[in-house]
């Protein structure tokens, strides 16, 4: 994915919707939108799930999957916001590093619950790689689905399989991260049941996004009073979250008395 400038007037720029997780800039008659390098920690409680598909097969991941997993990584991420403006060679290198580091236990031990999804023809179409670290919850290192199989329940099936296996362990939660600018990933995590663990910086991004959307809709004058009230309520929610995060931050990092 390449980020290209958009020719527009300042008035048009002011009233354009903000994309959550994206940096918006304007100069020389053009708008520049680039994804922020910001991820969000999110967790889900370990509990049985019944999200299954009959049209695919789920099996444990094995080291001999390495080559196919690298190909899948590139297929998934070469046109994604996570690698916006990257050259193909850099994405290939990232794919190799990610998979090699997983099997090499560089950032954590490969979990036995890690799995891949295959079609009835045996094609590897998705994976969920989980790592384990001492005194930490298991962490979803990679969730990737082949573009031609996305939005068909494959990710949900993989994650349901993982949670059902974790039920028989001492683990109580599974951690993951999503790229804030990746709307599809953000929505999927929330719909599946993950709960965000926000910090002050991310809470402020959510607040400013909601605040701008309310201001924009008031300027356009196209929404009903009910919808405007809903947006105002959302702004209040995020303002309260920012206030809460600021109090927590100050208690953790108190300012020195002058």
């Amino acid at each position: 994915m390449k980020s290209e400038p958009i020719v527009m007037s300042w008035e048009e720029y002011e009233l354009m919707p903000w994309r959550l997780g994206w940096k918006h800039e304007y100069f020389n008659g053009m708008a520049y939108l680039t994804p922020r390098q910001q991820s969000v920690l999110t967790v889900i409680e370990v509990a049985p799930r019944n999200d299954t598909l009959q049209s695919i097969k789920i099996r444990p991941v094995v080291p001999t999957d390495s080559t196919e997993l690298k190909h899948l990584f590139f297929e998934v991420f070469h046109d994604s916001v996570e690698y916006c403006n990257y050259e193909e060679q850099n994405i290939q290198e990232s794919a190799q590093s990610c998979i090699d580091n997983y099997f090499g236990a560089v950032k954590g031990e490969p979990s036995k619950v890690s799995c891949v999804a295959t079609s009835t023809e045996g094609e590897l179409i998705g994976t969920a790689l989980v790592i384990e670290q001492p005194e930490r919850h298991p962490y979803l290192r990679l969730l990737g689905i082949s573009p031609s199989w996305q939005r068909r329940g494959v990710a949900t099936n993989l994650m349901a399989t993982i949670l059902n296996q974790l039920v028989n362990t001492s683990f109580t939660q599974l951690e993951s991260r999503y790229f804030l600018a990746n709307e599809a990933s953000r929505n999927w995590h929330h719909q599946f049941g993950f709960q965000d663990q926000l910090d002050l910086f991310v809470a402020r991004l959510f607040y400013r996004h909601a605040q701008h959307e309310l201001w924009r809709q008031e300027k356009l004058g196209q929404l009903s009073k009910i919808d405007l009230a809903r947006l105002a309520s959302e702004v209040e929610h995020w303002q309260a979250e920012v206030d809460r995060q600021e109090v927590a931050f100050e208690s953790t990092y108190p300012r020195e008395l002058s």
Side-chain angles (χ1 to χ4, degrees):
M1 173 185 286
K2 299 297 181 183
S3 178
E4 302 291 345
I6 306 169
V7 178
M8 62 173 59
S9 67
W10 172 254
E11 291 74 18
E12 291 173 319
Y13 172 75
E14 275 196 311
L15 292 174
M16 72 182 296
W18 276 10
R19 300 176 69 177
L20 183 60
W22 289 69
K23 187 177 181 180
H24 291 65
E25 298 176 295
Y26 183 86
F27 51 89
N28 295 331
M30 289 185 288
Y32 294 81
L33 276 64
T34 51
R36 296 177 181 273
Q37 296 298 311
Q38 180 66 50
S39 64
V40 178
L41 176 65
T42 188
V43 302
I44 191 170
E45 299 295 323
V46 171
R49 300 286 296 229
N50 295 316
D51 313 84
T52 57
L53 290 176
Q54 300 300 319
S55 58
I56 64 172
K57 297 180 180 179
I58 306 292
R59 64 166 174 79
V61 65
V62 292
T64 51
D65 290 322
S66 177
T67 299
E68 285 187 275
L69 288 173
K70 292 173 185 177
H71 174 76
L72 176 68
F73 186 106
F74 181 80
E75 186 183 18
V76 171
F77 292 108
H78 82 278
D79 195 34
S80 70
V81 295
E82 287 87 347
Y83 288 90
C84 182
N85 295 329
Y86 276 62
E87 298 298 327
E88 285 197 1
Q89 180 180 347
N90 299 128
I91 304 173
Q92 293 279 17
E93 292 171 354
S94 186
Q96 181 169 333
S97 174
C98 177
I99 303 305
D100 287 347
N101 287 348
Y102 171 76
F103 285 113
V106 173
K107 296 185 177 181
E109 288 294 325
S111 175
K112 293 180 179 179
V113 302
S114 296
C115 50
V116 295
T118 61
S119 67
T120 53
E121 293 77 23
E123 175 191 7
L124 196 154
I125 59 173
T127 189
L129 303 182
V130 177
I131 59 175
E132 297 177 12
Q133 300 169 311
E135 300 180 5
R136 291 283 304 274
H137 297 297
Y139 176 71
L140 181 60
R141 181 69 181 86
L142 175 66
L143 177 62
I145 310 301
S146 175
S148 61
W149 281 85
Q150 290 176 3
R151 296 178 179 83
R152 296 169 64 177
V154 179
T156 298
N157 204 164
L158 283 166
M159 294 309 302
T161 301
I162 285 175
L163 288 177
N164 287 337
Q165 293 182 77
L166 288 175
V167 167
N168 300 316
T169 71
S170 61
F171 295 118
T172 59
Q173 290 183 330
L174 173 68
E175 295 183 350
S176 181
R177 280 189 177 272
Y178 64 81
F179 201 65
L180 186 57
N182 189 331
E183 183 178 3
S185 179
R186 183 173 73 244
N187 290 341
W188 181 86
H189 276 87
H190 292 166
Q191 290 167 7
F192 190 77
F194 281 88
Q195 300 293 316
D196 293 345
Q197 309 299 297
L198 301 180
D199 58 24
L200 177 57
F201 180 77
V202 175
R204 283 174 173 167
L205 291 178
F206 274 97
Y207 169 63
R208 290 167 184 163
H209 178 266
Q211 190 179 43
H212 178 267
E213 183 60 15
L214 175 60
W215 174 87
R216 190 179 76 89
Q217 292 295 347
E218 288 175 338
K219 283 286 186 180
L220 291 172
Q222 298 174 350
L223 286 188
S224 67
K225 290 182 179 180
I226 293 177
D227 288 332
L228 286 175
R230 176 183 55 80
L231 288 176
S233 177
E234 186 176 348
V235 172
E236 291 176 1
H237 164 78
W238 288 114
Q239 176 66 74
E241 178 62 22
V242 168
D243 292 343
R244 187 185 72 81
Q245 291 285 350
E246 286 178 343
V247 170
F249 183 86
E250 288 292 341
S251 64
T252 305
Y253 305 102
R255 298 175 182 175
E256 294 183 4
L257 296 176
S258 57

